[in-house]
Amino acid sequence: MKKYFSIGEVSKFKAVSVKSLRYYGQLGILPPAFVDPESGYRYYSSDQLVIVDLIKVCLDLDIPLKNFRSYIEPDGSVDVGKLLQDAETIVSEKEKKLRSSIAFLDTMSRHIMRTNKVREKKDAFVQHIPQRYFLTAPLRANVAEYSEISANYTTLFRQCQSLEIPDCFNQGVLLSRRGASVTAEVFVEIPYPDVPAANLHTIPGGSYSCRVFEDKSWANCLAGLPQKPLIVKELFDLNFDMQIPLVEVQEPVDFIEL
């Protein structure tokens, strides 16, 4: 077996630029095994070819190259076991984020498809909706005050992030009558109830009378104070035209205590 490989050969074998190999040497993570004192040419041992592969793995996993030095032992060897353990943790986290992103895109797609189906409906229609789970925040201003609604959305989205759960791309305002008063809560739907959150609200499944409105004022979507609980849900299509917001009011056909 050849004892040493030139920097050009390593560059060719491993599809890594000569400039990058020199940079790895400057960082102290891939010093040449031998430097010709007369020509200054750099040479690498066969063992170091594996280190180049490990460096490429770190780059693929977004592990900063300066952190690679933590895997180098005093004798110059690489603690591959520790590197693999850390890599598995990073890959697991990346997979988790990718699954969350795919789930979000899937729910967004289904939401937009439904919006396209119901936006042209002029009259109320009845639809069975499965049980849902809302994270809620009290709305202290009038329902027409969208600035507070938007601020509460931000708070709830951040809560989803802290709980590491995806939102279902369904959001709006939940109105419920409590005696003579009506309470309003901003909501963001989440896919499951197994979360440690005091503001988790379970919405029973059932038949809902649905109406779609295209109006600049949420208040105009509500004909007086609700006698039954109402879910005022924002609808989005591919245009995301916030100048003409599209909302859907869902009212349980049979009274459901939300």
Side-chain angles (χ1 to χ4, degrees):
M1 179 181 292
K2 189 174 180 179
K3 186 175 182 181
Y4 292 119
F5 299 92
S6 70
I7 192 171
E9 289 175 315
V10 175
S11 173
K12 182 178 179 180
F13 294 159
K14 296 301 180 181
V16 177
S17 70
V18 170
K19 182 179 179 181
S20 294
L21 293 171
R22 287 176 177 155
Y23 178 61
Y24 303 157
Q26 293 172 3
L27 291 177
I29 60 177
L30 188 67
F34 172 73
V35 178
D36 189 311
E38 295 184 2
S39 65
Y41 289 169
R42 302 164 183 241
Y43 294 89
Y44 300 85
S45 67
S46 57
D47 292 341
Q48 288 183 299
L49 298 181
V50 177
I51 295 179
V52 176
D53 290 330
L54 294 174
I55 291 173
K56 291 171 71 175
V57 169
C58 287
L59 290 172
D60 290 340
L61 296 176
D62 297 325
I63 297 176
L65 288 181
K66 63 181 181 180
N67 294 354
F68 190 85
R69 281 178 288 190
S70 66
Y71 303 111
I72 300 177
E73 301 290 352
D75 62 359
S77 62
V78 177
D79 188 344
V80 178
K82 184 175 184 298
L83 174 57
L84 291 178
Q85 185 178 21
D86 291 349
E88 287 177 355
T89 300
I90 292 171
V91 168
S92 178
E93 288 298 318
K94 284 181 175 289
E95 288 179 343
K96 185 176 180 180
K97 290 180 179 179
L98 284 173
R99 286 195 296 269
S100 178
S101 296
I102 291 171
F104 177 75
L105 290 173
D106 179 61
T107 54
M108 176 188 286
S109 176
R110 285 188 278 110
H111 179 101
I112 290 174
M113 288 176 64
R114 183 177 184 277
T115 298
N116 291 337
K117 288 181 180 179
V118 304
R119 66 178 304 160
E120 303 302 329
K121 292 181 180 291
K122 304 301 182 183
D123 301 317
F125 59 96
V126 176
Q127 182 174 9
H128 178 82
I129 301 177
Q131 182 166 280
R132 291 169 285 180
Y133 310 101
F134 291 173
L135 292 179
T136 62
L139 180 61
R140 308 190 189 282
N142 186 282
V143 71
E145 295 292 334
Y146 193 81
S147 59
E148 185 181 351
I149 294 174
S150 180
N152 281 335
Y153 283 155
T154 300
T155 299
L156 294 173
F157 289 142
R158 286 175 178 169
Q159 184 181 8
C160 287
Q161 292 176 349
S162 66
L163 293 172
E164 296 185 340
I165 55 174
D167 68 86
C168 290
F169 202 67
N170 282 327
Q171 59 201 50
V173 176
L174 172 65
L175 295 105
S176 304
R177 177 177 285 278
R178 296 290 186 271
S181 63
V182 174
T183 61
E185 298 172 284
V186 177
F187 73 82
V188 168
E189 184 179 352
I190 59 175
Y192 43 76
D194 302 328
V195 294
N199 60 330
L200 177 64
H201 209 124
T202 299
I203 308 300
S207 295
Y208 285 77
S209 176
C210 306
R211 292 173 291 156
V212 177
F213 295 86
E214 198 171 272
D215 197 290
K216 292 187 177 181
S217 172
W218 282 46
N220 292 343
C221 300
L222 306 175
L225 296 179
Q227 299 303 310
K228 297 180 181 180
L230 291 182
I231 296 171
V232 185
K233 188 176 78 168
E234 292 195 70
L235 298 178
F236 299 102
D237 57 18
L238 290 175
N239 294 322
F240 278 78
D241 188 354
M242 298 307 294
Q243 299 301 314
I244 308 176
L246 199 65
V247 298
E248 178 182 1
V249 176
Q250 298 175 350
E251 180 181 9
V253 174
D254 299 316
F255 182 81
I256 302 174
E257 182 61 49
L258 302 180

